[in-house]
Amino acid sequence: MKDWITDFKISFKEISTPDAIPAHYRKLVFWCIVVMILAIRFLTIQTPALDRTVWKEIDYISISKNYLANNFNFFQPTISWPAEPPNVTAMELPVIPYLAAILYKIFGFNVWTVRLLPIIFYLLIIYYVYKLTYEYFGPVIGLIAAFISGILPLNNSFGNVLFSDPAMVAFSIFTIFYFSQWMKYGKKKDRILATLGFSLAVALKIEPLYLLLPLSWLFFKKYRLDIKKYKVFISFILISLILPVCWYLYAYFLTNHSIDVFGIFKGHNKLQTLTMLSNSIWYFKMKWNLSSLLGHWVGLILIFSGMITALLLRKGSLFFFYLAAVFIYFILVAEGNIDTSYRQFCIIPPASAFMAIGSTSITLLLFKTFKRYFKTFYFSPVVILWVALLIPLLIPIHKSHYIFLKDINQPVEQDQWDYAQIIKQYASPKSKIITTGTYTMHVGGNDLSPVLYYYSGLKGWTLQKKNRNLNNVNILINKGADLFAAIYIQREPDMIELINLLKRDHVVLFEDQKGGFILLSLKNKSISKNGKD
């Protein structure tokens, strides 16, 4: 057994050397991977169609189009659906919608200008996953990791849309790569790039603070307990946080003096750590989200194989700390991680590395098992590379996620799309709508969904739990509201009392009790400003 393990280690080290594959050949393979991923993304770029896309992209489309219309004022990220000001919303650093607006200015608004940015950042993820994995495990595993990091986002319904998370993940792996280079070579350029990457990652989404764990490990690995050196690390952190702190202070100002549609400060409680971790449903939902993203049982086998191999070789401790940091984030932001599946995208870089190691180790084991049939090719890293690249293609594809299997014209939110078509039958171009039930079940309730407004083409007001009463409805009627649309009534029973009061005096245009939808006309009753007949 000992000899077998030793032989396996030697074989693995031989394909992990930087010169295992000629430079010109690995460049060719890398560009083949890039071209293949680009081809998939170009073929599926219209999935889903822009007019029936997911709620997250709807917000970003709205903000980017308003930047174009409002003379590119970076400090005024503006949403479109509220029927009255304020429309400037607090949010994370709006670099992505701002850049998208520039593309609209140059090339016009179309599916290519909307979705070009996420494609670019997914390519950056591929590139830096390759660079970082190559640094620790050589070109064979680096190329396989690049390939896997390109296909994993395609397993998710958010893997093709405009929003900040692809950029956040790209800048996260960018940060770790250049920080690793800085620790290895001590170059000022690498320190500057690592600082820039960490600053942008945290400004785009506050979650990448989890990177402090793998970065701390890299620093500790070099300087151990030389306390004086840690001034450098502290200064790196402080400088990196200048931009995020300044922007989030401004976002807090907007929260209190304008609106916070994204719920950064006053939205639903994205933590709820103890509550969620004490409920088995959380674990089942996370298992489903992660297995769907990572390729179900095939992907999980590759990850565990890669982890065992890395432990056996005593290599790649950085990737273990990277993965551990991601799981700590999953636990701390417990409610946020089952609220939506795109929050798990941050696992793609370390998972891709371990899957690549696992794919390579399985390939080596296959070659060793059938050694007598592969005497000519056994030590050929090129053959091992191509066989190992084939293994991730066995990843099962789940039809509810994978963009290949989706109809371009299928709305992401089918029930709200169908409901919006009914609303449009009763609405005029000047109609304004009161909605309730759109994301208001969360604690805080300020993380508001734009879907029904976007699908129906209307503007209006969202009644949240704290202001869901007859008096507020009457006030909004006086401001021009002529339709009342409630959705998912069954998940918020407290809405029923208000709806019953409204049904006494207003015509029911549509009702689906099973689905929890009701549409009322507010035109047929004259109400004064004090809310009385």
Side-chain angles (χ1 to χ4, degrees), residues 158-209:
F158 288 91
N160 212 29
V161 301
L162 177 71
F163 69 130
S164 290
D165 283 61
M168 179 269 287
V169 176
F171 282 120
S172 296
I173 188 70
F174 176 97
T175 299
I176 290 181
F177 173 73
Y178 283 109
F179 193 93
S180 176
Q181 294 294 101
W182 175 33
M183 290 298 98
K184 189 172 183 179
Y185 302 109
K187 292 183 179 180
K188 186 177 180 180
K189 178 197 75 172
D190 294 326
R191 177 180 178 176
I192 292 171
L193 289 172
T195 303
L196 177 64
F198 190 44
S199 183
L200 287 171
V202 177
L204 285 168
K205 302 278 286 189
I206 200 167
E207 290 97 320
L209 286 172

Side-chain angles (χ1 to χ4, degrees), residues 444-460:
N446 207 44
D447 193 356
L448 302 179
S449 171
V451 173
L452 199 59
Y453 299 100
Y454 186 80
Y455 285 177
S456 66
L458 299 177
K459 294 185 177 183

Side-chain angles (χ1 to χ4, degrees), residues 4-5 8-9 306-315 320:
W4 183 89
I5 293 174
F8 176 79
K9 287 181 177 180
M307 293 174 73
I308 292 169
T309 302
L311 288 171
L312 188 65
L313 298 172
R314 296 183 180 181
K315 291 183 67 176
F320 282 99

